Every structure is written in C-alpha cells, then in structure tokens.
Amino acid sequence: SRRDLFLRNPRQWLYRHIPCNLALYYDFGVRYIREILVYPEPGPDDALVMQTTSRLAEQYGASLTCVRFVETDATEEELQREKTYLEQVIKLSATPARTLVIRGKRFEDAVADISAGYDLLVMGAPLERGLSALFGTAKDQLTEMAGCSVLRLSTPHDTVHAPLAPVTVTSDRNL
C-alpha cells in the first residue's frame, strides 16, 4: 500500500486512499471534443464512466463510441459476451452511443490504434495489485500510447455508483 507511493505508481496510492471520485486528465493537445471513445469495464467504475461521458457528450455536442477488446483468437461466444455488455452499458448513457468490439493481440495496442480517430478516450481506473500496480498497468501504457487526450475515472472501491439518473443543473449566470 504505502510502497506504491514511493516505488513506481503513485496513482495506485490515490485510487486506494481517496474517499471520493477521482478524475485524472491527460491532455495531448486536443482543442475540441467532438468524438469520444469510451472503454467501460464491468466493475465499480462503469456507471461513473458512462455517466461522466454522457454529460461530456451533451456539453460538447460530441458523439460517443463504446469499445471493448477481444484477442485475435477469441471465440464467437467471447465476442458476443462483449457485444452484450456494451449493449447493456450504453443504457446508462443519456446520449446515444455506438458500440464497437475490436480484435488484436494486445489490448493497449488495439485501443491506442483506434484512439487516433477520436478527441478523447474515457476509461475507468480500476485498482490494481501486485507487480502491475508497481510497474504500470496496461491502462497506464494505453494512456501513454493514446492518439488523443485521456480521462481516467475512479470511484472509491468500497462503493458502487447507481445507474445514471437525471441531474438538475443550475446556471450561475444570474448570480
């Protein structure tokens, strides 16, 4: 736990200890957000990822594409499982979204390749343990290799977000 902060990956320390939602933004010089690529994963961060991405898409008038990865030799059953998950998770978005399942040898290479066609990649930042937490995860590598800006979101790992619910937004223009 504490050695994460001092050895290699201070983000893992943050993911374990901050008692609130955490957003880490990696700006790779994108000026406008018109196309958002979302990589949701089953777990505590998927609702937060979809809720945040939906609101960003509404704010910027951007389109959403939700993507999942399967290995090149994945079975038709594995491919269908990923498609089904994407169909379920886009229901958490108030913004219409396309779905895409990509094949490749390595997750980070495949997603980095298609990210060049987007302005922003949004994904969760799940808690990692062991050597990957010390030396960088596949998502850390993807963040460095991405062809667009990256937003990584994490929720406290002792809570799970409720599905997307309408939120009342007030304007402070009249203040």
Side-chain angles (χ1 to χ4, degrees):
S1 60
R2 286 190 185 227
R3 74 175 175 263
D4 289 350
L5 182 61
F6 299 109
L7 290 177
R8 167 75 168 102
N9 197 340
R11 288 180 300 270
Q12 290 300 318
W13 188 92
L14 288 173
Y15 299 150
R16 282 193 181 120
H17 294 90
I18 289 193
C20 60
N21 293 337
L22 176 65
L24 297 174
Y25 179 71
Y26 300 87
D27 183 7
F28 292 114
V30 173
R31 293 186 60 187
Y32 303 102
I33 298 176
R34 292 191 177 102
E35 296 284 334
I36 301 174
L37 182 64
V38 187
Y39 189 85
E41 286 187 279
D45 297 328
D46 62 352
L48 175 65
V49 166
M50 291 308 298
Q51 180 179 18
T52 302
T53 306
S54 178
R55 289 188 180 144
L56 286 171
E58 287 177 18
Q59 177 71 31
Y60 292 105
S63 64
L64 296 180
T65 301
C66 293
V67 65
R68 291 289 295 159
F69 168 80
V70 294
E71 291 187 1
T72 307
D73 60 351
T75 65
E76 194 60 37
E77 182 181 305
E78 292 170 316
L79 184 65
Q80 188 56 47
R81 185 173 37 239
E82 296 301 334
K83 287 179 181 178
T84 302
Y85 172 71
L86 287 175
E87 290 168 4
Q88 291 172 354
V89 80
I90 64 172
K91 292 176 184 175
L92 297 174
S93 174
T95 304
R98 294 183 300 269
T99 61
L100 175 65
V101 178
I102 56 174
R103 290 181 181 262
K105 290 184 179 180
R106 288 181 2 127
F107 153 78
E108 54 272 32
D109 292 332
V111 178
D113 286 347
I114 68 162
S115 72
Y118 295 85
D119 304 310
L120 179 65
L121 168 61
V122 181
M123 60 184 164
L127 185 62
E128 299 286 341
R129 299 195 185 281
L131 291 177
S132 66
L134 291 176
F135 299 111
T137 65
K139 286 194 174 182
D140 294 334
Q141 293 172 19
L142 172 57
T143 299
E144 293 173 13
M145 297 167 45
C148 61
S149 294
V150 179
L151 178 63
R152 293 183 58 182
L153 302 168
S154 180
T155 190
H157 291 275
D158 57 349
T159 62
V160 175
H161 283 266
L164 183 65
V167 173
T168 305
V169 178
T170 58
S171 174
D172 58 354
R173 291 182 187 164
N174 297 329
L175 296 178

